[in-house]
Amino acid sequence: MERKLSAIDRLWRGVVQFRAGLPPALNLIDVMSVEEYKEVKDHPSFQQLAGDLSTEKFAKLVAQDIEEVRPYVGEYMWAVFRSYQAIPIRIWS
């Protein structure tokens, strides 16, 4: 149980670290509809707020050792975590 709780704590720190590294404009995705997701990347105001993002910059936001906790958090928690990270990356790439 201690390993599981520690793993969930590490996963949450990964989420916090990832969000802290995102440009403020990408925090808006939490409140967007599906239709808005589809168009946001190409919107001039969003591009200006988001700054210069690249796949390489996104990769630096994701902790490289986060895979180590996967066996302890369960598949559902892992899927939610990876999906949460994938949305901003998919929007921008």
Side-chain angles (χ1 to χ4, degrees):
M1 187 55 110
E2 184 179 330
R3 277 188 168 181
K4 185 171 186 162
L5 291 173
S6 178
I8 290 171
D9 183 52
R10 176 68 182 100
L11 205 61
W12 179 247
R13 281 183 295 181
V15 169
V16 171
Q17 174 187 349
F18 183 75
R19 284 191 62 122
L22 290 176
L26 287 184
N27 288 323
L28 294 173
I29 65 173
D30 287 342
V31 296
M32 290 182 178
S33 68
V34 174
E35 292 78 28
E36 290 169 327
Y37 278 131
K38 293 176 183 177
E39 300 172 4
V40 72
K41 179 182 172 187
D42 300 322
H43 194 281
S45 297
F46 185 82
Q47 288 177 345
Q48 184 179 6
L49 289 172
D52 179 32
L53 292 176
S54 65
T55 305
E56 293 79 25
K57 287 184 181 182
F58 274 120
K60 290 178 184 176
L61 294 176
V62 178
Q64 301 304 311
D65 62 345
I66 201 72
E67 283 279 339
E68 295 171 4
V69 303
R70 187 174 184 175
Y72 306 107
V73 298
E75 288 304 310
Y76 178 77
M77 183 74 74
W78 184 255
V80 170
F81 171 74
R82 295 304 280 179
S83 297
Y84 187 79
Q85 288 186 328
I87 291 170
I89 294 170
R90 294 275 305 171
I91 287 173
W92 204 255
S93 9

